[in-house]
Amino acid sequence: MPSPARVPRRLSFLPFRGSVAVAEGLLTWAMLHGPAWRRLLPDVYVHRDGHRPDDHRMWCEAVALRLPAGAAVAGRSAAYLWGADLLPRDAPVTVLLPRAARMRPHPRVHLVRSVLPDVDRTRFAGLPVTTALRTAFDLGRQGPRVDALVAVEALLHRRVVKLPALRAYAAAHPGWPGGALLREVLALAEPLSESPMETRLRLLLLDAGLGPLTAQHDVRDARGRFVARVDLAWPALRVAVEYDGDHHRERAHFRQDVARLNALRAAGWLVLRFTADDVLRHPRATVALVRQALTERATTPVAR
């Protein structure tokens, strides 16, 4: 029985240029055409044990090996590297190319041409990427409006971008495409928003005229003791709205949620909870429920 082929350590899990590996005597072209290796892009390979088809980071690493000088991973791919996961795993890698640069199109690569000065490029985990500030600036200019707001707030929540710095950057770059959308996004942006669905829920309520509201509000009882933090609140009316993700269905979270809701009720708060289905498929019903709760509390306030 033949022994398995030896895998050079430096090629065991990360993508690499096949021509470089062959030139350095680590592999032969015949080996690369064998079952141990997967071809990702022209001249870019990875060992089968490191092949993770749904891992966007692997594809970013592969594409980075093909980037011309001055280019960078950008857009939602850059946001992913900065810690804000906004894309499906099968999404192509977004690349920002300086106008004079050339790169061959590929189904796994989404090419965008734009001005890209050195100050807007950096390296993150060894990969050339647009800075977090430039990434937020670019995503905030790309519609639809809710997606632009989700992207900006996700980066703000990761604390890789600060809202005053983004506003200053936008003011220093007038006339760029999507500037009007970005200004609207910056006026709405809430750094305390903790998830994309929370952002979508908040925007739904604001667009329905149910603002102003407070994000991540700390509820305290009559003695000033902390009770809970709620996603969205109208403190004067003691009404809260929360987004429930899948983790709330776990048994431990369910028990904690019951105790938390009881404590909020004892403090005089009315809490409405919504799921992704409520926000995305039944927005009118969601708005109607919140509007009704606010109207009832405004006309029959709870005794303090």
Side-chain angles (χ1 to χ4, degrees), residues 1 31 48 73 80 114 131 167 174 179 185 203 238 243 250:
M1 180 177 179
M31 291 177 180
R48 62 188 175 195
V73 176
Y80 178 86
S114 179
T131 63
R167 285 173 173 157
V185 166
L203 185 59
R238 282 191 277 184
Y243 169 70
E250 299 172 4

Coordinates of all heavy atoms in Angstrom, one line a residue, residues 1 31 48 73 80 114 131 167 174 179 185 203 238 243 250:
M1 N 0.9 -1.2 0.0 CA 0.0 0.0 0.0 C 0.9 1.2 0.0 O 1.8 1.4 0.8 CB -0.9 0.0 1.3 CG -1.8 1.2 1.3 SD -2.9 1.1 2.8 CE -3.8 2.7 2.6
M31 N 1.9 16.9 -8.8 CA 1.3 16.7 -7.5 C 0.1 17.7 -7.3 O -1.0 17.2 -6.8 CB 2.3 17.1 -6.4 CG 3.5 16.2 -6.3 SD 4.6 16.8 -5.1 CE 5.9 15.4 -5.1
R48 N -6.5 19.8 0.6 CA -7.9 19.4 0.8 C -8.3 19.5 2.3 O -9.5 19.8 2.6 CB -8.1 18.0 0.4 CG -7.2 16.9 1.1 CD -7.3 15.6 0.4 NE -6.4 14.6 1.0 CZ -6.1 13.4 0.5 NH1 -6.6 13.1 -0.7 NH2 -5.3 12.6 1.1
V73 N -8.8 44.0 -0.4 CA -10.1 43.5 0.0 C -11.0 44.6 0.5 O -10.5 45.4 1.4 CB -10.0 42.3 1.0 CG1 -11.3 41.8 1.4 CG2 -9.1 41.2 0.4
Y80 N -16.2 41.8 7.0 CA -16.1 40.5 7.6 C -14.8 40.3 8.3 O -14.7 39.8 9.4 CB -16.3 39.4 6.5 CG -16.1 38.0 6.9 CD1 -17.2 37.3 7.4 CD2 -14.9 37.3 6.9 CE1 -17.1 36.0 7.9 CE2 -14.7 36.0 7.3 CZ -15.8 35.4 7.8 OH -15.7 34.1 8.2
S114 N -12.2 52.3 -7.9 CA -12.4 53.5 -7.2 C -11.0 54.1 -6.9 O -10.0 53.4 -6.9 CB -13.2 53.3 -6.0 OG -13.3 54.5 -5.2
T131 N -9.1 50.2 5.2 CA -9.3 50.5 6.6 C -10.7 50.4 7.0 O -11.6 50.5 6.2 CB -8.8 51.9 6.9 OG1 -9.6 52.9 6.2 CG2 -7.3 52.1 6.5
R167 N -18.1 60.6 10.4 CA -18.8 61.8 9.9 C -17.7 62.8 9.4 O -17.9 63.5 8.3 CB -19.6 62.5 11.1 CG -20.9 61.8 11.4 CD -21.5 62.3 12.6 NE -22.9 61.7 12.8 CZ -23.5 61.7 13.9 NH1 -22.9 62.2 15.0 NH2 -24.7 61.1 14.0
P174 N -16.6 65.1 -0.1 CA -17.9 65.5 -0.7 C -17.9 65.1 -2.2 O -16.9 65.0 -2.8 CB -18.0 67.0 -0.5 CG -16.5 67.4 -0.5 CD -15.8 66.3 0.2
G179 N -23.4 59.9 -1.7 CA -23.2 60.8 -0.6 C -24.4 61.1 0.1 O -24.5 61.3 1.4
V185 N -27.8 57.9 6.5 CA -27.3 56.8 7.3 C -26.6 57.4 8.6 O -26.9 56.9 9.7 CB -26.4 55.9 6.5 CG1 -25.7 54.9 7.5 CG2 -27.2 55.1 5.5
L203 N -35.2 50.8 12.6 CA -35.5 51.6 11.5 C -36.9 51.5 11.0 O -37.6 52.5 10.6 CB -34.6 51.2 10.3 CG -34.7 52.1 9.0 CD1 -34.4 53.5 9.3 CD2 -33.8 51.5 7.9
R238 N -42.4 53.9 29.7 CA -42.0 52.6 30.2 C -42.5 51.4 29.2 O -43.1 50.4 29.7 CB -42.4 52.3 31.6 CG -41.5 53.1 32.6 CD -41.8 52.7 34.0 NE -42.9 53.4 34.6 CZ -43.3 53.3 35.8 NH1 -42.7 52.5 36.6 NH2 -44.3 54.0 36.3
Y243 N -35.7 42.5 20.1 CA -35.6 41.5 19.1 C -35.1 40.2 19.7 O -34.1 40.1 20.5 CB -34.6 41.9 18.0 CG -34.3 40.8 17.1 CD1 -35.2 40.3 16.2 CD2 -33.0 40.2 17.1 CE1 -34.9 39.3 15.3 CE2 -32.7 39.1 16.3 CZ -33.7 38.6 15.4 OH -33.4 37.6 14.6
E250 N -33.0 28.6 23.5 CA -32.3 27.6 24.3 C -32.9 27.6 25.7 O -33.3 28.6 26.2 CB -30.8 27.9 24.3 CG -30.2 27.9 22.9 CD -28.8 28.4 22.9 OE1 -28.3 28.7 24.0 OE2 -28.2 28.5 21.8

